[in-house]
Amino acid sequence: MKRALITGITGQDGAYLAAQLLEEGYEVHGVARRLSTANAWRLAEVRDRVVLHGGDLHDTGSIVRLVQAVAPDEVYNLAAQSFVPTSWEQPVLTGEATGLGVTRVLEAIRLVNPAIRFYQASSSEMFGKVVETPQRESTPFYPRSPYGVAKTYGHWITVNYRESFGIFAVSGILFNHESPKRGREFVTRKVCRAAAECAAGRRRALPMGNLDAARDWGFAGDYVRAMRGMLRAAEPQDYVIATGEVHTVRELCEVAFERVGLDYREFVRTDPVLVRPAEVDRLEGDASKARAELGWSPEVGFRELVHMMVDADVARLRGDLLDDPEG
Ligand code: NAP
Ligand code: F7E
């Protein structure tokens, strides 16, 4: 039985990846931070089948000891301070976790067993102020936030450990991907949750930032399939994972509110406080390398994704689905 270790298992992608690996017959271990309140709600469906270990990307020793104790065949580094606005408020912490944290995991692999296969969660935020459209593996990076800068470091250190030490280390350059397990601070979940609350009469207004920002949004379940494909491949290589379909935040509001029979224009207000100091205006990915070499393609489209998320929040508010803790 193959064994996988996932950092960030309590996050959105961690939960989908754990489920996918269990389905494939893996023994799944995860790194969870010690927090004052429990936050494993995303793992509800798989909690009794995964082994959680205490650890933190800030603490090198904890990561080395875990890689030693678990002796995984594969390590997925999904842990990060992943919310872009927080990266301006806590740039040093973001650099530590999202950037240097990658080196700590790679060092643990190098010391304990360089034959372990490693996946790094790189991001389309590295393209930032884009220099070419659509963005592909060869597109130069121009990050626009401390988060994007930290991810760019994590990306290149992964390439460097592959080239320096021959480690099977790959970076998936994933564009925005969402699901009902998305944190409430990210725009898709924020809007879908608000649409459900407005429909239930629990909210009357929705303050928003830049409605003209445009993203290539996909479904998290599809994107963790791509991570698996990259670690199964014959050669370690980096891949862009995206749908190629772009929508604005305004369109997102329109589709989400429409789903509950409302007109978003009656609820959405723009609030300058929510506008970022430097914006990533538009991202559009070209995943043709992943399609050709990994046979990967997304199964869930934009409207289906938004409907899935709104429906989940409607069910949560009705008490038909366990609600998540407010972030
Ligand atoms: P997420 O829901 O924010 O999850 C982040 C995970 O990292 C959580 O499990 C969190 O633990 C953990 N974490 C944060 N700081 C840590 C630390 N110092 N030590 C150990 N664990 C720590 O993120 P996601 O959406 O699943 O994304 C997964 C990864 O892909 C992240 O690296 C993200 O930056 C990257 N990414 C995401 C997207 C996207 O659109 N979702 C796109 C490209 C790349 P707690 O539960 O304790 O907070
Ligand atoms: O913002 C605009 C905002 O916070 C998307 C992370 O998973 O994907 C994510 O980063 C867009 C931005 O995601 C609001 O200005 C408008 O242009 O959902 P988001 P993100 O910053 O793109 C990348 C690929 C990652 O790697 C990250 O980890 O929406 N926007 N109004 C707003 N965004 C938020 N959050 N809230 C608003 O009110």
Side-chain angles (χ1 to χ4, degrees):
M1 186 189 262
K2 278 202 167 185
R3 208 172 297 141
L5 177 64
I6 305 173
T7 73
I9 194 167
T10 54
Q12 170 188 261
D13 291 6
Y16 280 96
L17 180 63
Q20 160 106 40
L21 286 164
L22 287 168
E23 219 171 272
E24 291 181 40
Y26 273 68
E27 183 180 310
V28 178
H29 295 252
V31 183
R33 295 192 283 182
R34 190 269 158 187
L35 298 170
S36 61
T37 43
N39 77 333
W41 64 273
R42 293 186 176 95
L43 296 171
E45 297 91 343
V46 298
R47 182 64 194 89
D48 55 344
R49 288 177 288 149
V50 299
V51 187
L52 296 187
H53 305 264
D56 195 303
L57 282 197
H58 293 273
D59 189 305
T60 311
S62 72
I63 301 301
V64 173
R65 282 193 298 277
L66 267 180
V67 173
Q68 255 161 355
V70 172
D73 301 287
E74 298 171 3
V75 172
Y76 295 85
N77 184 42
L78 308 186
Q81 189 305 95
S82 74
F83 190 46
V84 171
T86 298
S87 77
W88 278 288
E89 288 161 10
Q90 299 174 26
V92 176
L93 178 139
T94 302
E96 278 286 344
T98 307
L100 274 178
V102 186
T103 309
R104 296 192 181 105
V105 181
L106 283 164
E107 275 290 276
I109 290 173
R110 181 182 163 205
L111 286 166
V112 175
N113 176 11
I116 294 169
R117 292 192 170 202
F118 174 78
Y119 175 85
Q120 166 57 15
S122 282
S123 166
S124 53
E125 279 295 297
M126 301 187 302
F127 296 124
K129 191 172 180 196
V130 300
V131 300
E132 117 181 297
T133 295
Q135 296 83 50
R136 49 179 72 91
E137 291 78 6
S138 56
T139 303
F141 300 138
Y142 190 152
R144 289 276 275 175
S145 63
Y147 170 80
V149 173
K151 278 289 177 190
T152 305
Y153 170 85
H155 181 86
W156 283 118
I157 200 73
T158 301
V159 173
N160 184 262
Y161 271 55
R162 178 167 77 219
E163 294 177 355
S164 304
F165 306 116
I167 294 173
F168 192 111
V170 304
S171 273
I173 307 174
L174 271 51
F175 281 60
N176 300 53
H177 48 279
E178 320 292 318
S179 74
K181 293 186 192 289
R182 190 59 145 149
R184 288 198 203 179
E185 64 275 37
F186 298 96
V187 76
T188 51
R189 181 77 199 288
K190 176 177 170 176
V191 168
C192 293
R193 175 81 186 187
E197 288 174 353
C198 290
R202 296 203 200 177
R203 170 193 281 276
R204 299 156 84 104
L206 174 60
M208 293 290 301
N210 176 15
L211 297 177
D212 296 319
R215 288 290 183 276
D216 178 333
W217 280 295
F219 171 53
D222 285 338
Y223 285 43
V224 302
R225 257 196 301 116
M227 297 176 190
R228 291 287 306 118
M230 284 179 230
L231 278 208
R232 261 198 319 259
E235 295 295 327
Q237 288 193 57
D238 306 325
Y239 291 90
V240 160
I241 301 299
T243 67
E245 202 190 323
V246 182
H247 296 274
T248 61
V249 173
R250 186 176 283 100
E251 286 175 273
L252 162 69
C253 294
E254 196 178 333
V255 175
F257 278 76
E258 229 173 50
R259 181 67 172 172
V260 289
L262 298 175
D263 182 342
Y264 79 96
R265 290 171 296 188
E266 290 171 23
F267 299 90
V268 170
R269 310 274 174 269
T270 47
D271 181 345
V273 167
L274 295 169
V275 174
R276 299 178 179 186
E279 177 64 292
V280 172
D281 296 320
R282 186 179 191 279
L283 291 173
E284 178 182 343
D286 174 0
S288 41
K289 181 180 171 193
R291 282 177 198 268
E293 295 180 12
L294 304 176
W296 178 86
S297 62
E299 284 172 8
V300 178
F302 175 71
R303 288 184 76 82
E304 195 185 338
L305 172 64
V306 176
H307 290 175
M308 181 202 299
M309 293 178 70
V310 173
D311 293 354
D313 273 316
V314 167
R316 284 180 175 122
L317 292 175
R318 282 198 188 128
D320 297 341
L321 189 67
L322 194 65
D323 208 1
D324 55 316
E326 201 163 348

